[in-house]
Amino acid sequence: MDIFVGSGGEMYDSKSAGHTKRNKIVAKMLCTDMRPLVMVDDEGFRNLIHDLDPRYNMPSRTTFSRIIIPKLFQEERSKLFNVTKSHNYPSLSLTSDIWTSRSHDS
């Protein structure tokens, strides 16, 4: 995967395309694999991400749950809406599940 580089350098600006792309990759992994949001706060996961790209400062689970994942949801929802609209489906039902383990509450 060409977006991850093991070299050092300047940290990504939080508004940069590189930072945004990495946020989206982590968010998609959390959603696709139905992982708890607390995973982004786990030391081992943070170390893995840092080793893959030391320039990426991964946001907190609060940022993922309040900003990044809802934005990703809206993007995917728009794509789905456009597909269903173009095929004139009369209706569509979807469900989702997102959670944080109570055992990891602070």
Side-chain angles (χ1 to χ4, degrees):
M1 191 178 254
D2 65 342
I3 65 147
F4 290 115
V5 294
S7 62
E10 261 185 60
M11 297 294 285
Y12 294 110
D13 179 86
S14 63
K15 305 286 186 208
S16 72
H19 193 266
T20 301
K21 186 170 188 173
R22 284 153 182 78
N23 287 347
K24 196 175 209 179
I25 289 168
V26 173
K28 282 184 175 183
M29 184 274 309
L30 291 169
C31 295
T32 301
D33 295 341
M34 295 178 44
R35 305 302 307 160
L37 297 174
V38 72
M39 183 175 181
V40 300
D41 293 333
D42 291 345
E43 182 181 356
F45 186 68
R46 286 193 161 274
N47 288 339
L48 170 69
I49 296 298
H50 176 77
D51 286 348
L52 291 172
D53 190 347
R55 299 171 297 161
Y56 175 56
N57 184 22
M58 191 167 47
S60 68
R61 67 178 162 173
T62 302
T63 302
F64 274 99
S65 67
R66 293 185 181 168
I67 299 169
I68 300 167
I69 292 175
K71 183 178 179 186
L72 179 62
F73 171 79
Q74 289 301 327
E75 291 171 5
E76 296 301 318
R77 182 176 181 245
S78 292
K79 288 179 195 174
L80 184 60
F81 178 77
N82 290 334
V83 168
T84 58
K85 187 177 177 182
S86 68
H87 288 88
N88 294 318
Y89 294 129
S91 64
L92 177 69
S93 297
L94 301 172
T95 62
S96 67
D97 184 19
I98 191 164
W99 61 280
T100 298
S101 171
R102 291 188 188 269
S103 66
H104 285 95
D105 286 347
S106 313

